[in-house]
Each structure stands twice: as structure tokens, then as C-alpha cells.
């Protein structure tokens, strides 16, 4: 699993299993001089904490973070920042029969084939708890970006067939409802629907969007490290994501050039565009307008309903999955999407700082 | 632009501009012992060559590839394979006014802000010709994968509102029509529509799918280097892609767990699944069933129609883009999508070879 | 400090400061299926633990390691292995005046200029305690290598002018004397000399060698990732190392080809060489004979003797360094050199597993 | 050979074999806005060109470089710079018997074991001609560094037992004698000695030093990406190098702290040191004083003298190596050492630009 490291200059290395001792992350390459304390991180972790409402697993974890290195006298030193969250409420016994079964929609079978065996407790490394490290690192990235005027806003954009109405978009509402939707009416309707899904012992898909404002122009590298390409990697790497869209996304495939092209214009002396079908990215680089990215999440694969599958002896069985699990992934993943966007953008923003000799001379010539 | 390198073990480094002397790629890390000649590469390059039919730019390039290193006595040696294609039919004069204008939907403005100036001729590094290096490298990756029984099939799945009917799916048809669609009727209807688009001096969006069969189980690394995450990066890094979907893609966000979960079963002694909503990937690892990935392309931003925009003095102007350009991107990008999938999968397949000690002992113990 | 990550497939990410809460490492990419417990790590950490004899700092640390992830039912799972050592005996008060002074031979000034400020307590990230993460990761690498018959032996080869006599080389002696020398007589003479150095409030340089046996042929990649090049990086990255030599090292620059060339021969059906001036590496690849690498350590820069220097206001001062520090670096660094060799070799051995198609077919063809 | 790529932000990807069609390099990540033409590169390539005097192989190559991309209107654009040198004077017939023999001191045996076979013509990828790509890339790096006042001076410091006398050090002399020694008397004595070596059908070792002045403070990352660690990798990766030393190098292992420590002082308002045993690097970071690095080269392994060895059937044979080869490596490698230093330093200088938030704010805040 040489694949738990992400980023080139702002690099995160996450670790930990659902039912292991702890989970965490090491952030290497954070610029020195950023004020940072555990509360900065905790605010983000609390947004993904389980057991907060009726739509979330009842696992009870405080998810208290401890910063172990890289901060001195309240500021980042430029050295690796190690952060740790201890697991507290593992019920590993619930997962006994998973040890020998291949749950539909889960990676059990793949793990066994790839590594020869697996830590089956609570999904092991493929648990949603794996995202703790991402969110902790994302909290730092978001704080660094804020010093440069860049802000990220993520939210649930749809639950099943219930999509937010952009005419009712209310940013303040996002943290006010348990589904993190910026549209109160939609949130209430989706909540009712979700209650039915739970009664049916089923789960439902969802989507999450993230808007990033205040971007400088030119962040992202033109070929393989395009801003959209790395956002796609970062977001698709979140468990259960099946699609990533930038700007108009799939709709662009049905659009005409005369419609889809965003015209440049100048307002108040600043270059901008009259529309933003592109989602703020052209040729893999930020164009200065808001970035819009969207993730589609499949329904939680763990359902209480009985399903057919096979066991690790390749015998057909039926199973209904015990343990505690969410009926929907999107709302708790809102902060994870935000975190991955923050990490990706900061990394590319740091790389972009070296893109022209004039930038280097600003730093090195006195 | 420290971003023209892709892959960890099978690494490609592409270079070249639309109107420069040449374009090419260096492939580092190709396993030794693969039979390889220029014809293997040329077959792939010919699939993306311009000027082949009425739906493609009339730029006339033979796109003849030269292998400069890394092959000896007809086989790869394990050393870097350098490949070169000379540009022949540049009409740089056509692009004179682009030098000072910011075309809508193009990266001109971003390039100027990022690098201080740009090679404006024919889109420079952001031209579709940039994909020559990807396709040449992809041809090699596909050949290596074939030795292990892995095959890739890419095709145009939609043009504007014209989508293929999967009931009529005919793989043999793909190379028979100029739009690379596996559905003859759809191809013909889409072709007529495209002719109208051209008459309107406009362009249209499209989508491309790639199916990969013969995958071993376990390719892809569980967290950030998930197979789907790196496919997303690889495909989103192709110019004009605005969405990447795996399996059911965006539809998964509207599905229920009881429907979306693919049940495992055993047929003829082999583990497989009764459905494939997941598109062959679970937990970021291949599950042995066919991988399905889809890219949505925006319409070509270069259109002959008059558009409003600004110039590099930030003055409002109108322009209609001269030069030669395609009215649609998808069909010529089919082979590019296939190439990026091949490169990504081979790289992860090589990494996966080191995932367990048993694999290492197979190689090192005698 | 985007520079605390090392390795490509077997990747380590170390973190922690001398006087912070803890130090540790995340190992990403360890093959699954290796038996591993904390005792495996502790044995290595104990070899670098402070306070064990009169030649070492009297800081009192148990350096007890905790494995937090990546091991299940006593075996590595292929997921990241996070390891933690808590600091216990920090005497940060001793370092008060260091906060504003630039110690000769130390990185204080560089840290201030690079990052704007620094964690001055006990050397911060540049402390010898930084090597805890390296050694913990090296213990794992050495265990993996052992399954393939590869063994590492490191030892102190010289202290000041006292060099071991290879005619008296006794491997069993290494762990028997506090200086880790494989020559008892030399160890005793050097020990006496070291006592004088301590009385003089001074410090002394030293050298450490590592021999690696059981290497397969072909480990190391021919150009920039040569085995010797990456050993050089790994070892030179240990604090205080000023030279790295392979085989005959600097002496090769005075030798003739007819002498320095090692002739190939066959003994008992196995290819070997009649001499080993090359130190087991040709063209950057292992040749199957023992690898020999040597590190030269400068004397500990922290000395009790009074020295001239400047403070952070750039005023000239004199200072004698308080706090606890070793009079010599080599002996405690023996296990660090061994660790860096193990990590480097395992990483390249994993990469080499993908060097030819035959190896991949061994794994993927059934 | 996933090992022909070097550098993180300023990344070079070299390719080509001694007797293949061509050799070259792709430089990815060069900052935009640097004036660059082929002459800038040619000057460096000419310094390593064969056939220039009696101490060098008589292979006749013009080594004319062609820049194929990444430069527009005389300046770097920030896109990859591809450079090509065609081979002209291959005498592949000379190497017929090498195809089946394992030359002492060469990598033939390692190549065969690693890759299954090898391009035996003229050493293939392990030829000295492999350095063409390094030198071409190094010429660009040196030019970028020069804009920031950083200059590199490399020279031959010893040939066999003939070492330069630093009291006679004359920088202007370096390019005046065929051995690139900054001491005319030593150069003449060494030249005579070299003539004898050639008569004896033998070869001799040598050493090369590089001095870098004008360094800003803080370049290099404190743990694994230390400036000295990456210089060690870069230089040890040059064929035939057996030792890398920084500052006093191996002598530091015999020195006392009170002697080896360089005292800080302030001269003309600038921080400097009274001595420079450290070679300009402390804690892996540049300290602002001149960097000094030294490489020890083994004697050319190709000698005309008869040697014992084995063939690829593992039978004992004797051979005397035909073909054209240098009797000494150091002098022609002077420019290669300089190139690797330039590339390594520029890459770390670019990374360092992102080390503190103040630097980022200089670029992104308006």
C-alpha cells in the first residue's frame, strides 16, 4: 500500500485502521510561520465525527486530536506536523462473520487477493475512519490558504433524487442542518426520505460540491498536474466516490462551444468571465474565478438488508451486515471533500510559486 | 511546468508544442524483454492523426514516430525509450492575433499570468498535439499489458445528445466509422448532426468510454493511489475533459445500496459478480471484472463564430478564431483515453507486484 | 521541510523534535505478510538509546516504541505502519541561551534564515533523536530483507586516529563493547583516548562501515537511482556525516585499472569476483558480492569548551554549550547507518522486482 | 530502469545509449523567462566532448545539441525543454566480443542478470555518453542560478598521486590545460604520468572538486533532502564515482570538535565563518559560505591490458578490451560534476522558496 502519501511539496502521509489503536497523519512541507493549535484541527474533525445525529453511525468517538510535532510557540516550524487520534469505541466483535465473508460493494475480496489476508475489523484501512488523517491535514491546508485570501465552501448538493435548488442557496444554512445542505427546504425533504431508507434497512447515494474563491490565476501545471486532474485524483481517492466533475461536468459533453465558452471581461479593473461553465479552471490552471468541483458518492455498501454473496472459501452465502454504519456517505464526507481540495490546491500553489524566474528573484534577490 | 511527468514506476515524460520543432516522450521504467518496433507505436498514433476525415482539422501531419533509444535487437532493454515526432505542417501565421488576445475557453490568460508570456502558436503546449507523447507511451503500455492478458477498448459513447445504444454495441464497428462509435446507426446520426454544427461555425461536446478486461484482482493501492483515483487524474489531465466517471458514475449518487451493490458469485470456479455497477473497482482496487471509465469532453473552445473577449491589454474585443481546429474533441481523443488508462494500469500493476512478501519471494528465492 | 520522506515504494515519513512530545515514523509500502511485533523494533532502538555508557549523553530515555497501525494478528497487512516513541527526559531549560545564539557547527543560523525562527530546544528537528524514526523503520526493512537471505552488519571502523585492524575483525565483538568496534584491542585503546577527549571538554570524529551480504544481482537502477547513489543520499542524510565511500572509496582515485578491476570467476558454480575493490556494486547495481559502504562522521559540534560565535542579533559572543551531549557520534550512529542501508536496499529491491517482463509474468500469469 | 529521472521541481529525464541513434534529456520545471539558446548548452557539451586531446578517447563526435521545445522567442516558457544529440561515430563492430563477455569493473554481468539481456554496444546505457543529458540540463540550471548570483567552479583536483597544491590555485588555468586542473605545474606532471599509464595499456583514478559561491542561506531540507545528501546522490550517480566528500570530508572523522567547528563572525555586516571545514553546509542547509564537494573516480575499467574474467556461459576467459576508451575519467567528468551540482542546487533552491509563509505572501499578496 505504497499509496498513503499525497502531495509533492505539501505532503501528507496518513495511517490507521478503523479498529486499530489510533489513526493519524504526518504533514511534511507545511510552510513555517502559520499560527496553529489543536483547536484549529478539532473544528474540522468534529464536522466528520460519528454519532452526531440520527443519520450517522452511533459509534461514539471523541476524535480528539493531539499535535505531536512541528509546532513551537504556537506556530508551524516548517518541520513535519504529526497528528494523532486514538480509537476508543471499537466493537470488533460485531465484525466476526465479516472475517470470512466478502461483503457486496466492499473491498474485502480485493484485500485478500492483494495482500494475502486483511484486517477485517470495521473495514480496516478502507473504513471511513481513514479520512481522519485527511481532514486533520486539510484543516492546516485551509488555514494556510486563508492567509492568502482563499476560502473553501463544501456542502451536500443532493441525496438520492433530492437536489438543492441553487436559487435557494444559503451558505449559512450548511452548518445548521445535519445533512450539511445549503437549502433548508431540500434538507428537510431529504431528511424525511432518509428516514424511510433507514427503515428499509437500505442506504442511498449522494453528491457533494466544493466552491473555492479567492484563487490567484495560474495555479496548476499544464499537463499531468493540472489543477482539475489532481482535484480529480484527490476526490476520487475518497472511499465511495464514483464521479468527479469540474464546472458543468458531464453536461459539458452535451453543450456547444458557443454556449460553453465563458467570455472574458473586465469588471472594476479586474479580469473575470461573464459565465463560469469551466468551473474556474482553463488548461489545468486556475483562471481566478470560483472553482467548482463535484463528487458523486455511491450509497453506503454496508446495509442491514440480506444480500447474496460468497465467503472466502468461495461458497455462496447470504448475509446481512451487522455493526454500525451510516445510511448515507455524502454529508459526513463534506468536510473530507473540502480537506482534499484544500490540500491539493495548497500543494499546487506552492509549486506554482516557482513557475517563473521573477518569482524566484522576489525571494532571493535583496 | 513541473507537471509533464506521469507515473511512479512506468514513468512518462512528455514534451513539445503545437508549432515547435517536434513533440515526444521519454518512457522510463518499461520492463525489459518486450518486443517493440516503430510500427507498434505508429498504429496508435495514426488513430489520433489529424486530417483523416471531414470531422477533423485539415492540418496535414504524417506524425511519423522515431524510436531513439531503449530498444535493442527488437526488444525493450529496460532503459528509457525516447520517441520523437517532427512537426511538419505548422501554419503559425494563422495565429498572429491570438498572440495578443485571450480566447474564450482557452488557457491563454492563465499562461500569461503564470509564466509571464506564452508560446501562442497553435495553443503551444496546450494544443491537442500535446497528446502525441501520451499516445506513443500508451501504445507501449498496452503492449506490455497484453502479455498479461489485459485488453483495452475505448470508443466515443456520445456526441451532443446522440448516445450509443448499448444493445447495439458492436466492438468491430469502432474502427469502421470516423467517429469511433461502436453503434453504426448512432454514428451516422451523430455524423449528420456534426455536419450541421460545422456549418454553424460551432462545436459540440462528447463523451468517451474505456473498458478494460482481463484485469488481475488487487491492482491499485487502497488510499490515495487508488486505481480509480489515478485513472481520474490521468483522464482529467487530458485537455477539455470536465468529468470522469467509474462504473455507474454520477448515477450512483441516486441509487440505493440494495441496488448498487454487486453480489459476488462463483461461475466455473472463478469469483465474479452478478452485476457491475462498480465498474470493476472496489476500495480502489481492481476486482477482476471489467473496468469501465468514462470521460466527458467539453466542446472544442476554438470556434469560427464571433465571440466577445478581452486582449492582453485587458481591452474588450470581438474575435472569430482562425486556424484549423476540430469541431469535436471526443473521437480523436478516444485513443488518448485508452493510452492514459493503459499507462495508469500498468504503473499500478507494477507497484502491486511488490504488495506482499510472497510475490517478492517468487522473484528472489531460488 | 518537504524532505522528511524517503524511499519510493518502501517509503518512510519521519517526524519529531528532540524536546517535543514524541518522535516517530510512518512506513508506507511494507509488503504484507511479515511477522512483526514491537520487540523487533525495540532491539534496534535500544542500540541507539542514550545513557547506556560513559561515552554517551546521560539523557535518560527508555525510547519505548508503540506500533499504532499496519499490523494485524502479528503480521504486516500492507497498510502504513505508524510507530511512536514518547520523549520523557527533556531538560529544555538547559537550552535557554541557545535560543538566541548560533552555535558553531550547528544549523541554528540556517534554521533561522530558512524558516524565520526555530525550535531551539535540544536541536529541535536536527537533534540526534531525529534518527529514532529511521531506526524503527530500518528494523522493519532489515526483517524483510532477512526473509530473502540478506544481512547487514554495521560497526565503528575508526575513532580519531584509532582504526580497526581488519586482521582482527571479530563480528561477535561488535555488540560486546560500548563503541561497537569489531576489534577488541582497538576498542579499548579508542575508549581510553575518548576519556581524554571528554576531560578536555572536546569531541572527536569517527567512521562507521556497513557490510551487506546475501544480495541478489541487479538491485539498483542504472542512472540516477544507482544503488550506491541512493546509499550515498541515505547515509549523507544522517546528521554529521561528511563523506560516503563505496568499496575502496577515496583510495580508488589513486589506483590503476589493472589493480582496481575485480576479476570475475566461478566458484562452486556461482559467479563471484576474486577481489572486491568495487564494494559489491557495478554500474549502480549490486553484483552479488558483499556491499561495503563507509560513512565519515565529524566530531560532535556541541562541546563544553568555550567558543567564539555570534548571536541572532549578529553580535560576537563567546559560549560554552551546556546540556547533555555525546563526545562522539559514530558509535551511536552505527545502527542508524545500518537502518538507512536496509531501507535503501529494500526499496531498490522492490523496484527491481519490476525490471523485466519475466518477473511480472511470474506474479501475474497462473 | 525507472531511475533515469532526477529532481523534484527542476526535473530531468535523460535517455540514450552509446551506440543508439541519439542521446538527450527532457528538462521539466525550468522557470519561465530565462534567455536560452543552443549555444548556452553547446559550451557545456564541448567541455565533455571526446577526442579533444591525447588523454581522451579518439571517438569523433560533434555532440551538436538541438533544442526541440520549451523555448520561444529566445526565452524559456516554463514548458519541458527537450534536447537532442545525435550519435555519429559509433564503431559497434569493435564491441563484438563484449556481447558474450563480462568485463572486469563493468556492469555487463549485472545488466544481464537484471534485465535478461543488454545493449552491449559501447557500454549501452552505462557509457560515459549517458552524461550528455546531464550536462545539457546542467547548463540550463547553471544559467538560472547565475541570475541569482550563484556560480559553480569545478576542476580536477588529483590524478593518481598527483594532487593540486591549493597555494597555487588558479581558476583561470582550469580551461587552459587538457586535464582541467587549476594548478599548471601539477597539470604538467600529471600529464606526463598519464602518458606512461597509456603506454602501460592501463588506466588511473582521479578526483574532481566543485566550489559553489553566492549561495543564499537555507537551501536544502533538514532531514532526507539535505543539500549534502542530494549532492551525494547526484554525484555518486555519475559512473565510476566511489566517494563523495563535503568540506573536509573523510578528514573530519579524525578531527576534534574544537578544531572542526567553524566559528561564526560578522564581516562588513554580513554573517560568515572564520573557517569552512563544513564546506558551506550545516544541518543539510547552505550556510552562505562557499560549498565544497569532492568526487573520487575509480580508474577507467576498460583497459587494453589482458585480464581474466568469465563469459556469459560462466566459462573462464582472458580478454583485452578493444574499442576506444579514456585512460582516466576525472577530467572529462569535471563538467558532469558541475552539472549535477547545478541541477541539485537549483531544485532545492526552488523547493526552499516555499519554506515559509512570508515567501508565499511575497508572491501571492498584491
Amino acid at each position: 500500500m505504497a499509496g498513503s502519501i499525497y502531495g509533492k511539496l505539501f505532503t501528507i502521509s496518513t495511517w490507521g485502521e478503523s479498529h486499530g489503536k489510533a489513526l493519524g497523519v504526518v504533514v511534511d512541507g507545511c510552510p513555517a510561520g502559520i499560527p496553529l493549535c489543536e483547536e484549529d484541527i478539532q473544528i474540522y474533525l468534529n464536522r466528520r465525527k460519528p454519532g452526531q445525529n440520527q443519520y450517522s453511525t452511533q459509534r461514539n468517538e471523541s476524535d480528539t486530536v493531539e499535535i505531536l510535532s512541528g509546532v513551537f510557540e504556537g506556530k508551524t516550524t516548517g518541520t513535519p506536523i504529526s497528528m494523532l487520534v486514538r480509537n476508543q469505541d471499537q466493537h470488533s466483535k460485531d465484525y466476526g462473520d465479516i472475517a470470512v465473508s466478502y461483503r457486496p460493494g466492499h473491498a474485502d475480496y480485493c484485500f485478500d487477493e492483494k495482500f494475502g489476508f486483511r484486517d477485517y475489523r470495521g473495514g480496516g484501512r478502507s473504513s471511513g475512519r481513514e479520512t481522519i488523517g485527511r481532514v486533520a491535514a486539510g484543516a492546516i491546508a485551509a488555514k494556510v490558504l486563508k492567509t492568502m485570501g482563499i476560502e473553501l465552501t463544501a456542502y451536500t448538493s443532493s441525496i438520492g433524487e433530492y437536489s438543492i435548488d441553487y436559487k435557494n442557496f444559503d451558505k449559512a444554512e450548511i452548518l445548521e442542518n445535519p445533512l450539511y445542505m445549503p437549502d433548508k427546504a431540500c434538507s428537510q425533504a431529504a431528511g424525511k426520505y432518509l428516514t424511510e431508507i433507514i427503515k428499509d434497512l437500505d442506504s442511498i447515494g449522494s453528491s457533494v460540491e466544493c466552491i473555492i474563491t479567492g484563487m490567484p490565476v495560474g495555479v496548476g501545471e499544464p499537463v499531468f498536474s493540472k489543477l482539475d486532474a489532481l482535484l480529480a485524483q484527490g476526490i476520487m481517492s475518497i472511499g465511495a466516490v464514483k464521479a468527479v466533475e469540474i464546472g458543468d461536468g458531464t453536461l459539458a459533453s452535451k453543450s456547444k462551444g458557443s454556449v460553453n465558452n465563458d467570455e472574458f471581461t473586465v469588471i472594476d479593473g479586474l479580469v473575470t468571465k461573464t459565465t463560469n461553465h469551466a468551473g474556474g479552471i482553463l488548461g489545468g490552471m486556475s483562471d481566478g474565478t470560483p472553482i467548482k468541483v463535484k463528487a458523486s458518492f455511491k450509497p453506503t455498501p454496508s446495509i442491514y438488508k440480506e444480500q447474496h454473496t460468497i465467503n472466502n472459501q468461495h461458497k455462496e452465502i447470504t448475509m446481512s451486515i451487522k455493526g454500525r454504519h451510516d445510511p448515507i456517505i455524502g454529508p459526513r464526507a463534506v468536510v473530507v471533500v473540502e480537506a482534499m481540495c484544500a490540500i491539493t490546491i495548497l500543494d499546487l500553489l506552492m509549486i506554482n510559486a516557482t513557475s517563473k524566474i521573477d518569482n524566484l528573484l522576489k525571494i532571493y534577490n535583496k
Side-chain angles (χ1 to χ4, degrees), chain A:
Chain A
M1 197 191 285
S4 286
I5 295 176
Y6 183 73
K8 192 163 182 166
L9 288 184
F10 184 87
T11 310
I12 72 170
S13 179
T14 73
W15 55 271
E17 283 85 39
S18 180
H19 288 222
K21 285 187 168 183
L23 300 112
V25 62
V26 181
V27 176
D28 189 26
C30 183
I34 304 287
L36 191 75
C37 65
E38 278 146 356
E39 182 61 14
D40 292 320
I41 314 298
Q42 199 62 52
I43 290 168
Y44 277 75
L45 286 177
N46 289 349
R47 287 169 58 195
R48 67 156 299 292
K49 214 166 63 174
Q52 303 199 102
N53 59 60
Q54 70 270 39
Y55 311 126
S56 154
T57 167
Q58 292 309 302
R59 180 165 171 173
N60 186 15
E61 295 282 354
S62 70
D63 281 355
T64 306
V65 70
E66 187 181 11
I67 297 178
L68 296 170
S69 67
V71 176
F72 182 60
E73 296 180 344
K75 285 189 298 182
T76 58
T77 58
T79 64
I81 304 167
S82 178
M83 296 182 282
L84 178 82
V85 168
R86 294 262 173 195
N87 282 322
Q88 295 174 314
D89 188 35
Q90 307 101 308
H91 289 191
S92 299
K93 278 182 297 184
D94 290 348
Y95 296 91
D97 54 346
I98 290 174
V100 296
S101 307
Y102 294 149
R103 292 169 295 168
H106 276 284
D108 305 333
Y109 170 59
C110 304
F111 268 103
D112 270 11
E113 291 290 309
K114 183 181 184 74
F115 296 114
F117 79 122
R118 75 194 139 99
D119 179 351
Y120 53 80
R121 301 165 305 162
R125 183 73 178 138
S126 278
S127 164
R129 289 189 70 69
E130 172 261 311
T131 62
I132 283 176
R134 301 176 187 242
V135 172
I140 296 176
K143 189 151 193 197
V144 180
L145 290 174
K146 211 173 175 181
T147 65
M148 283 167 278
I150 301 168
E151 302 222 22
L152 302 99
T153 306
Y155 50 85
T156 305
S157 47
S158 73
I159 288 177
E161 298 285 351
Y162 296 83
S163 295
I164 59 164
D165 183 342
Y166 289 92
K167 283 176 290 188
N168 301 333
F169 192 98
D170 178 6
K171 185 175 162 177
E173 177 64 26
I174 298 171
L175 295 175
E176 294 301 314
N177 68 73
L179 297 174
Y180 297 101
M181 289 185 124
D183 171 349
K184 193 174 184 177
C186 181
S187 154
Q188 289 170 337
K192 276 183 199 157
Y193 174 65
L194 208 44
T195 305
E196 284 173 47
I197 290 286
I198 295 172
K199 273 192 206 142
D200 280 354
L201 310 180
D202 212 335
S203 64
I204 187 72
S206 52
S207 69
V208 171
E209 291 177 352
C210 187
I211 308 290
I212 302 113
T213 57
M215 287 293 294
V217 183
V219 173
E221 301 302 312
V223 181
F224 300 115
S225 301
K226 285 185 165 82
L227 175 50
D228 36 0
L230 291 178
L231 285 171
Q233 183 200 346
I235 289 170
M236 191 71 93
S237 79
I238 303 170
V241 172
K242 300 304 286 184
V244 179
E245 299 174 86
I246 304 293
D248 284 1
T250 58
L251 292 178
S253 72
K254 302 192 187 307
S255 187
K256 293 182 184 176
S258 57
V259 173
N260 185 70
N261 281 348
D262 304 307
E263 299 184 349
F264 285 100
T265 188
V266 176
I267 297 181
D268 295 338
L270 294 174
V271 173
T272 184
K273 302 180 313 186
T274 55
T275 53
N276 192 9
H277 299 289
I281 303 176
L282 288 169
M285 296 171 274
S286 59
D287 65 17
T289 63
I291 288 171
K292 185 180 172 193
V293 58
K294 181 176 187 174
S296 291
F297 285 85
K298 72 177 185 182
T300 319
S302 290
I303 55 174
Y304 293 103
K305 236 178 204 173
E306 197 174 77
Q307 300 176 90
H308 286 92
T309 189
I310 61 171
N311 66 16
N312 66 3
Q313 301 304 305
H314 297 186
K315 299 294 171 203
E316 309 270 344
I317 59 168
T318 58
M319 74 183 304
S320 76
I321 299 170
K322 294 184 190 67
R324 298 159 300 182
H325 33 76
D326 297 279
I328 186 169
I329 293 172
R332 286 188 59 207
V334 164
V335 70
V336 184
V337 170
E338 190 174 315
M340 292 310 297
C341 289
I343 293 162
T344 303
I345 286 171
L346 176 55
D347 190 38
L348 284 170
L349 181 138
M350 289 167 72
I351 293 171
N352 180 58
T354 66
S355 59
K356 55 183 171 185
I357 191 67
D358 289 354
N359 286 356
L360 293 178
L361 293 177
K362 272 184 202 168
I363 291 167
Y364 289 108
N365 277 11
K366 290 161 190 178

